[in-house]
Amino acid sequence: MKKLYIAIDFDGTVVEDKYPEIGELKPLVKETINKWVEDGHKVIISSCRSGKDEMLAFEFLLEKGIQFHCFNNNHPDLISKYRNDCRKIGADLYIDDKSVFCNGIDWQEIGEFVDAKTK
């Protein structure tokens, strides 16, 4: 199975968009993300939040038991590979509610897409 670096937006993708508040978790998000981590994919949570709001989002994910490798940082493997820690989060796949092709986040559909892509 091919292992991916997966960058996932927080507001509107992992949780309902209630910024600056933190919305409810989207259906199947925890199960899907945790399965990816268990399958060996590297999960990076990406957010425009900073300061106190960033820390609240980080703590929220921990409290909800959502596994991830990095939060608003590039994965160390990619930094080493490319000898660069650029501002854009590096990944093989980006999941974001603002995507041109996203008409709403359906985590079951996303999970099936990633499973098919990694076979």
Side-chain angles (χ1 to χ4, degrees), residues 1 6 13 23 27 32 34-35 45 48 50 52 57-58 63 67 70 72-74 76 83 91-92 102 107 110 113 119:
M1 172 190 289
I6 304 172
T13 305
T32 304
N34 287 352
K35 179 184 179 299
I45 304 296
C48 289
S50 63
K52 180 182 174 189
F58 181 88
E63 289 169 7
Q67 301 172 41
C70 301
N72 277 352
N73 290 303
N74 282 299
R83 296 185 204 132
D92 298 307
C102 184
W107 278 96
I110 292 169
F113 174 83
K119 290 185 181 192

mmCIF file of all heavy atoms in Angstrom, residues 1 6 13 23 27 32 34-35 45 48 50 52 57-58 63 67 70 72-74 76 83 91-92 102 107 110 113 119:
data_model
loop_
_atom_site.group_PDB
_atom_site.id
_atom_site.type_symbol
_atom_site.label_atom_id
_atom_site.label_comp_id
_atom_site.label_asym_id
_atom_site.label_seq_id
_atom_site.Cartn_x
_atom_site.Cartn_y
_atom_site.Cartn_z
ATOM 1 N N MET A 1 0.838 -1.180 0.000
ATOM 2 C CA MET A 1 0.000 0.000 0.000
ATOM 3 C C MET A 1 0.883 1.243 0.000
ATOM 4 O O MET A 1 1.815 1.346 0.774
ATOM 5 C CB MET A 1 -0.907 0.014 1.233
ATOM 6 C CG MET A 1 -1.675 1.305 1.402
ATOM 7 S SD MET A 1 -2.537 1.515 2.978
ATOM 8 C CE MET A 1 -3.837 0.345 2.824
ATOM 9 N N ILE A 6 -1.044 13.408 4.041
ATOM 10 C CA ILE A 6 -2.380 13.959 3.823
ATOM 11 C C ILE A 6 -2.544 15.216 4.677
ATOM 12 O O ILE A 6 -2.488 15.148 5.907
ATOM 13 C CB ILE A 6 -3.465 12.929 4.185
ATOM 14 C CG1 ILE A 6 -3.253 11.626 3.399
ATOM 15 C CG2 ILE A 6 -4.859 13.503 3.934
ATOM 16 C CD1 ILE A 6 -4.157 10.481 3.840
ATOM 17 N N THR A 13 -13.815 21.506 7.576
ATOM 18 C CA THR A 13 -13.442 20.199 7.028
ATOM 19 C C THR A 13 -13.452 19.133 8.115
ATOM 20 O O THR A 13 -14.157 18.139 7.996
ATOM 21 C CB THR A 13 -12.043 20.285 6.371
ATOM 22 O OG1 THR A 13 -12.070 21.334 5.392
ATOM 23 C CG2 THR A 13 -11.667 18.984 5.696
ATOM 24 N N GLY A 23 -16.551 24.273 15.854
ATOM 25 C CA GLY A 23 -17.796 23.580 15.569
ATOM 26 C C GLY A 23 -17.740 22.117 15.946
ATOM 27 O O GLY A 23 -16.733 21.609 16.437
ATOM 28 N N PRO A 27 -19.297 14.142 10.581
ATOM 29 C CA PRO A 27 -19.515 12.689 10.684
ATOM 30 C C PRO A 27 -18.374 11.899 10.042
ATOM 31 O O PRO A 27 -17.903 12.240 8.958
ATOM 32 C CB PRO A 27 -20.821 12.474 9.916
ATOM 33 C CG PRO A 27 -21.520 13.799 9.958
ATOM 34 C CD PRO A 27 -20.423 14.834 9.939
ATOM 35 N N THR A 32 -12.154 8.039 10.102
ATOM 36 C CA THR A 32 -11.407 8.071 8.845
ATOM 37 C C THR A 32 -9.961 8.481 9.070
ATOM 38 O O THR A 32 -9.027 7.809 8.605
ATOM 39 C CB THR A 32 -12.084 9.029 7.850
ATOM 40 O OG1 THR A 32 -13.448 8.625 7.664
ATOM 41 C CG2 THR A 32 -11.377 9.016 6.517
ATOM 42 N N ASN A 34 -8.189 8.485 11.895
ATOM 43 C CA ASN A 34 -7.465 7.527 12.721
ATOM 44 C C ASN A 34 -7.115 6.257 11.941
ATOM 45 O O ASN A 34 -6.054 5.669 12.139
ATOM 46 C CB ASN A 34 -8.245 7.202 13.986
ATOM 47 C CG ASN A 34 -8.223 8.350 14.984
ATOM 48 O OD1 ASN A 34 -7.516 9.341 14.804
ATOM 49 N ND2 ASN A 34 -9.006 8.240 16.024
ATOM 50 N N LYS A 35 -7.978 5.841 11.028
ATOM 51 C CA LYS A 35 -7.676 4.689 10.172
ATOM 52 C C LYS A 35 -6.467 4.990 9.295
ATOM 53 O O LYS A 35 -5.599 4.132 9.113
ATOM 54 C CB LYS A 35 -8.874 4.319 9.308
ATOM 55 C CG LYS A 35 -8.608 3.136 8.370
ATOM 56 C CD LYS A 35 -9.788 2.865 7.458
ATOM 57 C CE LYS A 35 -9.530 1.711 6.516
ATOM 58 N NZ LYS A 35 -8.403 1.906 5.613
ATOM 59 N N ILE A 45 -2.596 18.340 10.078
ATOM 60 C CA ILE A 45 -3.745 19.226 10.195
ATOM 61 C C ILE A 45 -3.253 20.637 9.893
ATOM 62 O O ILE A 45 -2.267 21.109 10.450
ATOM 63 C CB ILE A 45 -4.375 19.166 11.605
ATOM 64 C CG1 ILE A 45 -4.769 17.724 11.970
ATOM 65 C CG2 ILE A 45 -5.563 20.118 11.688
ATOM 66 C CD1 ILE A 45 -5.833 17.098 11.102
ATOM 67 N N CYS A 48 -5.710 28.051 9.389
ATOM 68 C CA CYS A 48 -5.314 29.470 9.395
ATOM 69 C C CYS A 48 -5.320 30.024 10.809
ATOM 70 O O CYS A 48 -4.926 31.166 11.030
ATOM 71 C CB CYS A 48 -6.274 30.284 8.521
ATOM 72 S SG CYS A 48 -6.054 29.955 6.774
ATOM 73 N N SER A 50 -4.207 30.892 14.534
ATOM 74 C CA SER A 50 -2.914 31.161 15.149
ATOM 75 C C SER A 50 -3.127 31.552 16.607
ATOM 76 O O SER A 50 -4.256 31.797 17.041
ATOM 77 C CB SER A 50 -2.168 32.265 14.395
ATOM 78 O OG SER A 50 -2.887 33.475 14.473
ATOM 79 N N LYS A 52 -3.855 31.757 20.388
ATOM 80 C CA LYS A 52 -4.779 31.047 21.280
ATOM 81 C C LYS A 52 -5.749 30.172 20.494
ATOM 82 O O LYS A 52 -6.045 29.040 20.898
ATOM 83 C CB LYS A 52 -5.543 32.049 22.133
ATOM 84 C CG LYS A 52 -6.517 31.416 23.086
ATOM 85 C CD LYS A 52 -7.284 32.452 23.882
ATOM 86 C CE LYS A 52 -8.347 31.762 24.724
ATOM 87 N NZ LYS A 52 -9.256 32.707 25.341
ATOM 88 N N ALA A 57 -7.714 24.648 18.913
ATOM 89 C CA ALA A 57 -7.988 23.634 17.897
ATOM 90 C C ALA A 57 -7.114 22.394 18.125
ATOM 91 O O ALA A 57 -7.600 21.258 18.051
ATOM 92 C CB ALA A 57 -7.755 24.200 16.498
ATOM 93 N N PHE A 58 -5.840 22.617 18.422
ATOM 94 C CA PHE A 58 -4.907 21.526 18.700
ATOM 95 C C PHE A 58 -5.407 20.691 19.882
ATOM 96 O O PHE A 58 -5.485 19.459 19.816
ATOM 97 C CB PHE A 58 -3.523 22.122 18.992
ATOM 98 C CG PHE A 58 -2.460 21.116 19.262
ATOM 99 C CD1 PHE A 58 -1.718 20.571 18.226
ATOM 100 C CD2 PHE A 58 -2.167 20.719 20.565
ATOM 101 C CE1 PHE A 58 -0.711 19.641 18.473
ATOM 102 C CE2 PHE A 58 -1.170 19.797 20.824
ATOM 103 C CZ PHE A 58 -0.439 19.258 19.778
ATOM 104 N N GLU A 63 -8.357 16.071 22.627
ATOM 105 C CA GLU A 63 -9.472 15.681 23.498
ATOM 106 C C GLU A 63 -10.435 14.727 22.803
ATOM 107 O O GLU A 63 -10.995 13.828 23.434
ATOM 108 C CB GLU A 63 -10.232 16.925 23.963
ATOM 109 C CG GLU A 63 -9.477 17.775 24.955
ATOM 110 C CD GLU A 63 -10.138 19.129 25.204
ATOM 111 O OE1 GLU A 63 -11.269 19.375 24.715
ATOM 112 O OE2 GLU A 63 -9.503 19.965 25.874
ATOM 113 N N GLN A 67 -6.057 11.346 15.827
ATOM 114 C CA GLN A 67 -4.612 11.192 15.691
ATOM 115 C C GLN A 67 -4.094 12.021 14.514
ATOM 116 O O GLN A 67 -4.763 12.131 13.496
ATOM 117 C CB GLN A 67 -4.269 9.730 15.470
ATOM 118 C CG GLN A 67 -4.733 8.826 16.592
ATOM 119 C CD GLN A 67 -4.538 7.368 16.252
ATOM 120 O OE1 GLN A 67 -3.519 6.990 15.677
ATOM 121 N NE2 GLN A 67 -5.503 6.550 16.606
ATOM 122 N N CYS A 70 1.312 16.174 12.585
ATOM 123 C CA CYS A 70 1.738 17.580 12.651
ATOM 124 C C CYS A 70 0.509 18.485 12.643
ATOM 125 O O CYS A 70 -0.530 18.120 12.083
ATOM 126 C CB CYS A 70 2.603 17.946 11.444
ATOM 127 S SG CYS A 70 4.088 16.970 11.258
ATOM 128 N N ASN A 72 -0.152 22.449 11.632
ATOM 129 C CA ASN A 72 0.359 23.701 11.066
ATOM 130 C C ASN A 72 1.876 23.688 10.856
ATOM 131 O O ASN A 72 2.520 24.738 10.894
ATOM 132 C CB ASN A 72 -0.039 24.918 11.909
ATOM 133 C CG ASN A 72 -1.431 25.397 11.577
ATOM 134 O OD1 ASN A 72 -2.058 24.947 10.634
ATOM 135 N ND2 ASN A 72 -1.930 26.326 12.370
ATOM 136 N N ASN A 73 2.426 22.499 10.657
ATOM 137 C CA ASN A 73 3.857 22.359 10.371
ATOM 138 C C ASN A 73 4.044 21.297 9.304
ATOM 139 O O ASN A 73 3.268 20.337 9.232
ATOM 140 C CB ASN A 73 4.635 21.925 11.623
ATOM 141 C CG ASN A 73 4.711 23.014 12.648
ATOM 142 O OD1 ASN A 73 5.195 24.098 12.367
ATOM 143 N ND2 ASN A 73 4.227 22.733 13.837
ATOM 144 N N ASN A 74 5.093 21.440 8.533
ATOM 145 C CA ASN A 74 5.447 20.400 7.588
ATOM 146 C C ASN A 74 5.953 19.175 8.337
ATOM 147 O O ASN A 74 6.541 19.293 9.421
ATOM 148 C CB ASN A 74 6.533 20.893 6.626
ATOM 149 C CG ASN A 74 5.960 21.778 5.558
ATOM 150 O OD1 ASN A 74 5.118 21.352 4.785
ATOM 151 N ND2 ASN A 74 6.411 23.024 5.509
ATOM 152 N N PRO A 76 8.425 16.365 9.391
ATOM 153 C CA PRO A 76 9.898 16.345 9.400
ATOM 154 C C PRO A 76 10.510 15.522 8.263
ATOM 155 O O PRO A 76 11.579 15.880 7.757
ATOM 156 C CB PRO A 76 10.237 15.741 10.765
ATOM 157 C CG PRO A 76 9.047 16.016 11.613
ATOM 158 C CD PRO A 76 7.864 15.992 10.683
ATOM 159 N N ARG A 83 15.043 19.344 2.019
ATOM 160 C CA ARG A 83 15.974 20.295 2.629
ATOM 161 C C ARG A 83 15.394 21.706 2.656
ATOM 162 O O ARG A 83 16.075 22.683 2.358
ATOM 163 C CB ARG A 83 17.322 20.278 1.909
ATOM 164 C CG ARG A 83 18.020 18.967 2.023
ATOM 165 C CD ARG A 83 19.393 19.023 1.409
ATOM 166 N NE ARG A 83 19.755 17.668 1.035
ATOM 167 C CZ ARG A 83 20.242 17.340 -0.143
ATOM 168 N NH1 ARG A 83 20.446 18.245 -1.063
ATOM 169 N NH2 ARG A 83 20.538 16.090 -0.406
ATOM 170 N N ALA A 91 2.248 17.996 0.982
ATOM 171 C CA ALA A 91 1.442 16.783 1.105
ATOM 172 C C ALA A 91 1.208 16.178 -0.275
ATOM 173 O O ALA A 91 1.401 16.839 -1.298
ATOM 174 C CB ALA A 91 0.101 17.101 1.765
ATOM 175 N N ASP A 92 0.783 14.924 -0.279
ATOM 176 C CA ASP A 92 0.382 14.259 -1.514
ATOM 177 C C ASP A 92 -1.081 14.553 -1.827
ATOM 178 O O ASP A 92 -1.507 14.484 -2.979
ATOM 179 C CB ASP A 92 0.539 12.734 -1.380
ATOM 180 C CG ASP A 92 1.964 12.329 -1.144
ATOM 181 O OD1 ASP A 92 2.834 12.736 -1.945
ATOM 182 O OD2 ASP A 92 2.231 11.607 -0.154
ATOM 183 N N CYS A 102 -14.934 20.455 -4.238
ATOM 184 C CA CYS A 102 -15.620 19.990 -3.039
ATOM 185 C C CYS A 102 -16.964 20.687 -2.888
ATOM 186 O O CYS A 102 -17.029 21.884 -2.699
ATOM 187 C CB CYS A 102 -14.754 20.250 -1.812
ATOM 188 S SG CYS A 102 -15.492 19.604 -0.339
ATOM 189 N N TRP A 107 -17.000 12.410 4.532
ATOM 190 C CA TRP A 107 -15.830 11.667 4.967
ATOM 191 C C TRP A 107 -15.852 10.206 4.529
ATOM 192 O O TRP A 107 -14.803 9.602 4.347
ATOM 193 C CB TRP A 107 -15.624 11.822 6.468
ATOM 194 C CG TRP A 107 -14.918 13.116 6.734
ATOM 195 C CD1 TRP A 107 -15.482 14.310 7.071
ATOM 196 C CD2 TRP A 107 -13.524 13.356 6.596
ATOM 197 N NE1 TRP A 107 -14.513 15.282 7.165
ATOM 198 C CE2 TRP A 107 -13.293 14.714 6.882
ATOM 199 C CE3 TRP A 107 -12.435 12.562 6.264
ATOM 200 C CZ2 TRP A 107 -12.036 15.295 6.850
ATOM 201 C CZ3 TRP A 107 -11.169 13.131 6.229
ATOM 202 C CH2 TRP A 107 -10.984 14.478 6.525
ATOM 203 N N ILE A 110 -14.528 10.456 0.972
ATOM 204 C CA ILE A 110 -13.104 10.786 1.003
ATOM 205 C C ILE A 110 -12.290 9.561 1.411
ATOM 206 O O ILE A 110 -11.254 9.265 0.815
ATOM 207 C CB ILE A 110 -12.843 11.972 1.952
ATOM 208 C CG1 ILE A 110 -13.458 13.254 1.373
ATOM 209 C CG2 ILE A 110 -11.345 12.164 2.193
ATOM 210 C CD1 ILE A 110 -13.490 14.398 2.340
ATOM 211 N N PHE A 113 -12.023 7.215 -1.470
ATOM 212 C CA PHE A 113 -11.107 7.753 -2.474
ATOM 213 C C PHE A 113 -9.653 7.471 -2.096
ATOM 214 O O PHE A 113 -8.864 7.000 -2.912
ATOM 215 C CB PHE A 113 -11.332 9.263 -2.637
ATOM 216 C CG PHE A 113 -10.334 9.930 -3.534
ATOM 217 C CD1 PHE A 113 -10.486 9.908 -4.902
ATOM 218 C CD2 PHE A 113 -9.210 10.566 -2.995
ATOM 219 C CE1 PHE A 113 -9.548 10.515 -5.741
ATOM 220 C CE2 PHE A 113 -8.275 11.168 -3.810
ATOM 221 C CZ PHE A 113 -8.445 11.150 -5.198
ATOM 222 N N LYS A 119 -4.015 1.715 -3.227
ATOM 223 C CA LYS A 119 -3.910 0.267 -3.533
ATOM 224 C C LYS A 119 -2.919 0.013 -4.627
ATOM 225 O O LYS A 119 -2.595 0.784 -5.434
ATOM 226 C CB LYS A 119 -5.262 -0.290 -3.906
ATOM 227 C CG LYS A 119 -6.161 -0.332 -2.685
ATOM 228 C CD LYS A 119 -7.454 -1.000 -2.998
ATOM 229 C CE LYS A 119 -8.273 -0.970 -1.726
ATOM 230 N NZ LYS A 119 -9.400 -1.742 -1.703
#
